Every structure is written in C-alpha cells, then in structure tokens.
Amino acid sequence: MTESPHLAFSFHPKWLSLTGSAEAFLRPLQEAGMEAVEFTLHPHDSDWAAFPPLISECQRLGLRCHFHLPYLDPYNIAGFSDDARENIEALYRPAVSLARRFAQRNDSPPTLVMHGAHAANRTSQQLVQDTVVFVEWLLAQNPRWLVAVENLPRDPALVKIGTEHRHLIDVSKALAVSRVGICWDMGHDVRLGFTHPPEEEFLRRVIHVHVHDLNAKGVDHHPLIYGRVPYRSWLPLLVQRGFAGCITLEVSGYHLGHEGLESVHALLVGSLQRLKGCCAVS
C-alpha cells in the first residue's frame, strides 16, 4: 500500500503558556493523528532560547520535526546571486545551523520551508535566480533535508517569488533535484484568488503543504472552521499523485489567545481530524 502523508502542527514555545508542558499540549494532537511539528525559526524572536529544548522534547515524544526559515524583515534573500551573498548567509546562519543540528536526530529527512526572494527594485527573473542560488547553498548545508519554496500572497509594493505558480515551477526546474520542491500553502492560494487547483506541473512538484482557514475578513491562519479553503477537494489531488509528504496545520496562536486550553484543543483536534479524512490512501 502507498504511504500516506503525515500531519504536522506549526508549533511555537508560546503555546506552552496554556499548559506549561509540551507533552500536555501535544498529546491530544498526537492522538488525533499528528505525527510531526513544524518550527518557524526566527533568531530575533524573544523566545529564541526556548526553541532547542522544545525541539528536543518533541523529538523525545516521537515527533518528526520540520523547519521554516525566518521571513520577517530583515530576512530576505534578494541579491543573494550578486554581491549580497555574504551578508545574507550571515543573517540566516543561526536558523540554518539550528535546523541542521536537529535534522540529524530526525528518523526521516526533515523539510526546510522557505520564502523566495522579494524586492521592489529587481525583476522576477533576478529574484528567481537569487532564490535558486540560495537553495543551492541550503542543499550544501545538509545532505538529508528537503527544501520547499512556498507560494505567497501579493504585496503591491514588491515583486515576490511565490505570488505566481510559475515562479516556483521555475525554481524547481532550475535545480532539477528531488530534494527541492514546492510548499503549497492552500490558504495563500485562496488569498491569491485561486478557486481551482493548480496546474499539473505544480502539483507534481509539491513536497510539503500548509493548510489553514480564512475568516470573513480574509485573515488567514485560522483553524479549519470557516470552510473558505477547499482542502477537502485539493488534498486528494495530491494523494492521488502519490504525495506522501507533510501536511502542516498552520494556525496562529494570536487568533486563539482568548480561548482556554479545552477550546484550543477542540479546534485543533477537529482540524486535524478533517485533514486526516482527506488523506486516506486506498
């Protein structure tokens, strides 16, 4: 039988304010089918020192760990293929080093999710090249991990790699290695105005998925309660094509900060169960 995708949750030390214990927070999610966690690594985060022990604890609990590179300012890889490479390497090295350290302890290759380059003063072709060369650098840092470049919402002031599906296909084709592919963020596609699934060439290159919902105002990264993201019809398209990667429930804790632990667990467990129902392999 073909291997099924595995489910993950985007985890952060701040979630522990509800329980004080990673195990107490994560156990109900594991019982609902979650097998992995994904950490967004921002070295400027006030909780940065809490990430290594939390990642260790998740691995002790038997969870695979995936990683998302930083993307908030000043993190941007524009110019990496030109004279900005040295400074950009130095900027990203703390996050890359932490991901590399814990990738060695995973029982399977982790995914490193990243955003492509963005700028107001570079063409999409230049930014694609920046992204390709940066991914080449990442691949040289660890022989095990997979690199997934994410589709992104638009910003009218910037050219951003990822706002068009073709950008991500071009990056993947330029590198032409199985360790590089696309992170398909389904909520971002809805924000981009897509009502139909991507083209076949895009789907074949997806190696990692982010799923979250949008509320009535179009704000994303909510639990799967509004029905505005068509994951129920989109996920089976990947499974039918043999996708066996990670599907991350990417929920912002800021949207649930007013909820108690019982309500948070109910929302997250319900979301994971909905995802699990879309991923069965026959």
Side-chain angles (χ1 to χ4, degrees):
M1 187 173 68
T2 306
E3 183 182 355
S4 298
H6 63 276
L7 300 180
F9 175 67
S10 184
F11 201 32
H12 189 280
K14 283 188 169 59
W15 286 108
L16 299 186
S17 64
L18 293 170
T19 63
S21 160
E23 183 168 6
F25 183 86
L26 294 172
R27 186 63 68 192
L29 309 188
Q30 287 182 278
E31 292 170 354
M34 182 196 73
E35 301 177 66
V37 284
E38 182 176 326
F39 292 96
T40 299
L41 303 177
H42 274 292
H44 292 169
D45 193 313
S46 60
D47 294 294
W48 179 243
F51 276 87
L54 183 57
I55 297 169
S56 290
E57 176 64 3
C58 288
Q59 291 181 327
R60 185 191 70 80
L61 294 171
L63 293 164
R64 308 184 200 187
C65 292
H66 301 289
F67 305 97
H68 195 313
L69 287 183
Y71 55 87
L72 299 174
D73 287 339
Y75 293 92
N76 179 17
I77 59 174
F80 193 84
S81 60
D82 293 329
D83 56 2
R85 175 168 182 153
E86 184 175 347
N87 290 337
I88 294 172
E89 283 188 11
L91 185 64
Y92 279 85
R93 193 167 287 116
V96 171
S97 296
L98 185 63
R100 182 173 57 225
R101 169 183 164 192
F102 286 100
Q104 303 306 119
R105 306 180 190 178
N106 257 19
D107 61 359
S108 60
T111 304
L112 198 63
V113 180
M114 58 166 282
H115 288 190
H118 64 270
N121 58 353
R122 288 174 78 79
T123 67
S124 60
Q125 291 84 357
Q126 290 173 315
L127 294 170
V128 164
Q129 183 61 16
D130 291 335
T131 305
V132 167
V133 178
F134 183 78
V135 173
E136 289 175 335
W137 176 66
L138 289 178
L139 293 175
Q141 305 307 303
N142 189 294
R144 296 187 73 233
W145 59 35
L146 313 176
V147 179
V149 189
E150 185 174 356
N151 60 312
L152 301 171
R154 294 185 181 90
D155 182 330
L158 299 171
V159 180
K160 295 168 64 177
I161 296 308
T163 59
E164 296 181 24
H165 288 168
R166 173 52 54 183
H167 295 158
L168 304 182
I169 293 170
D170 288 346
V171 170
S172 178
K173 288 175 69 174
L175 289 151
V177 292
S178 60
R179 291 170 57 205
V180 177
I182 293 169
C183 172
W184 183 15
D185 188 304
M186 295 183 175
H188 289 172
D189 254 13
V190 171
R191 288 187 59 189
L192 286 166
F194 288 97
T195 56
H196 298 287
E199 59 270 55
E200 181 68 26
E201 190 172 13
F202 181 98
L203 291 174
R204 287 192 288 104
R205 297 176 184 277
V206 173
I207 61 172
H208 197 86
V209 176
H210 286 167
V211 184
H212 45 93
D213 215 339
L214 280 65
N215 67 10
K217 296 182 179 180
V219 178
D220 54 12
H221 298 287
H222 282 273
L224 304 180
I225 54 177
Y226 297 107
R228 293 191 170 88
V229 175
Y231 63 91
R232 286 187 173 93
S233 58
W234 287 359
L235 282 175
L237 295 176
L238 291 176
V239 176
Q240 291 163 12
R241 286 159 178 77
F243 174 78
C246 176
I247 299 169
T248 298
L249 176 64
E250 195 180 34
V251 173
S252 170
Y254 293 108
H255 298 326
L256 301 181
H258 60 287
E259 303 281 355
L261 178 61
E262 186 174 346
S263 295
V264 168
H265 273 154
L267 289 165
L268 299 181
V269 165
S271 297
L272 288 167
Q273 289 173 336
R274 293 182 185 98
L275 292 176
K276 188 175 181 179
C278 299
C279 299
V281 175
S282 58

